[in-house]
Amino acid sequence: MTHDPLTQVLSGHTPPGVLSWPAELPAHRALDEARAAGWETAVVELSGVLDKAGLMAASAVALRLPDWFGANWDALADCLTDLEWWPAERGRLILVRDWQGYAAADPKGWGVLQEIFADAAAHWRDTDTGLAVVMTLG
């Protein structure tokens, strides 16, 4: 049986953070679980994204980022640590789908993105509205 890393987060037994989703489990299961637990969800689809501009555009659309989003690393970090634009009563889950192409095409940018996600999750960790980022292969 494949371990579902999100169950422990949603139950409050494990703090939210950046999680790898098992390839054997359908990605929609993570979204369904989070929504059932009262969490807000968003899907950042990176299929075909090969550069920073594409990543910023995909993130802006998927996350419904505010108008002040400047499409750069600092602005993305600011948006994810100031989530007034994305109200939630419980928590927030960002599912990042098909990220491998971007990671291979822009390894430095991929590293920055991972750091931004980890810092944002840590920022919200001890609040009532945690942030979890789930990386899925498909």
Side-chain angles (χ1 to χ4, degrees):
M1 180 168 188
T2 302
H3 172 70
D4 173 349
L6 193 55
T7 302
Q8 293 296 319
V9 171
L10 297 173
S11 68
H13 291 98
T14 301
V18 179
L19 309 168
S20 293
W21 190 254
E24 302 82 35
L25 297 178
H28 70 82
R29 180 171 159 181
L31 296 169
D32 294 344
E33 287 182 34
R35 290 174 185 143
W39 284 43
E40 299 296 321
T41 63
V43 178
V44 177
E45 175 61 58
L46 296 183
S47 177
V49 172
L50 300 175
D51 59 15
K52 179 181 172 185
L55 171 75
M56 293 297 163
S59 298
V61 170
L63 297 172
R64 299 170 307 278
L65 295 176
D67 292 340
W68 55 262
F69 174 61
N72 60 59
W73 295 123
D74 289 338
L76 183 59
D78 289 346
C79 284
L80 294 178
T81 56
D82 176 8
L83 291 172
E84 287 184 28
W85 53 271
W86 190 10
E89 290 187 26
R90 303 273 326 218
R92 299 169 185 91
L93 172 90
I94 299 172
L95 187 127
V96 182
R97 188 186 312 250
D98 293 325
W99 51 267
Q100 302 88 334
Y102 174 69
D106 185 3
K108 182 178 177 185
W110 176 244
V112 173
L113 181 63
Q114 288 180 296
E115 186 176 319
I116 288 171
F117 282 148
D119 289 348
H123 176 83
W124 293 102
R125 185 163 290 137
D126 294 326
T127 70
D128 292 335
T129 56
L131 174 68
V133 179
V134 174
M135 302 290 187
T136 177
L137 299 176

